[in-house]
Amino acid sequence: QVQLVESGGGLVQAGGSLRLSCAASGRTSSTYVMGWFRQAPGKEREFVAAVSWSGSNTAYTDSVKGRFTISRDNAKNTVYLQMNTLKPEDTAVYYCAAALALYGGNYYTDESSFTSWGQGTQVTVSS
């Protein structure tokens, strides 16, 4: 498996931006789909975004489309989540996750497909 460490969370005012990073270590020679999930207080963890191993395909939950951008730098074993125009409802713990890729362009959006998880980073958006 691969080990994942998130960073970049914090407190920001509504309308602001944050960039989350997720560094992978361990079996990084394998090809992985990378995803971001989030869990707000009292709610279940939900899918936010995913990117294929090749970076050619991405997916987003409807509530973040046009505001968030997922990207990856395979040379640095790092995936990013650029979050713009943040809203109070984006407040959550954000988790990075990895799933073995079947081929360069595939991705997953279901939590059960991801086998490696980071510990999470808190994002708080004040109104």
Side-chain angles (χ1 to χ4, degrees):
Q1 286 192 343
V2 64
Q3 289 75 50
L4 305 172
V5 178
E6 305 96 334
S7 61
L11 173 65
V12 64
Q13 289 188 332
S17 299
L18 282 175
R19 188 176 82 155
L20 305 184
S21 298
C22 173
S25 61
R27 298 185 63 177
T28 56
S29 60
S30 298
T31 57
Y32 291 95
V33 173
M34 299 301 295
W36 287 96
F37 291 76
R38 66 185 180 186
Q39 187 169 22
K43 295 186 177 181
E44 294 186 349
R45 189 158 56 185
E46 64 171 353
F47 169 77
V48 176
V51 60
S52 62
W53 163 252
S54 65
S56 60
N57 293 325
T58 58
Y60 299 91
T61 191
D62 286 345
S63 62
V64 308
K65 285 180 180 177
R67 300 189 299 122
F68 290 12
T69 302
I70 188 171
S71 62
R72 65 190 298 161
D73 184 338
N74 289 340
K76 296 182 178 179
N77 295 320
T78 301
V79 64
Y80 306 97
L81 185 67
Q82 178 67 45
M83 306 185 295
N84 298 328
T85 320
L86 282 161
K87 304 176 180 180
E89 51 264 42
D90 294 319
T91 295
V93 177
Y94 283 71
Y95 297 91
C96 177
L100 284 173
L102 298 177
Y103 56 92
N106 92 289
Y107 62 87
Y108 309 103
T109 61
D110 58 300
E111 185 173 337
S112 62
S113 294
F114 291 84
T115 55
S116 297
W117 293 84
Q119 293 190 334
T121 185
Q122 177 70 47
V123 171
T124 303
V125 184
S126 63
S127 58

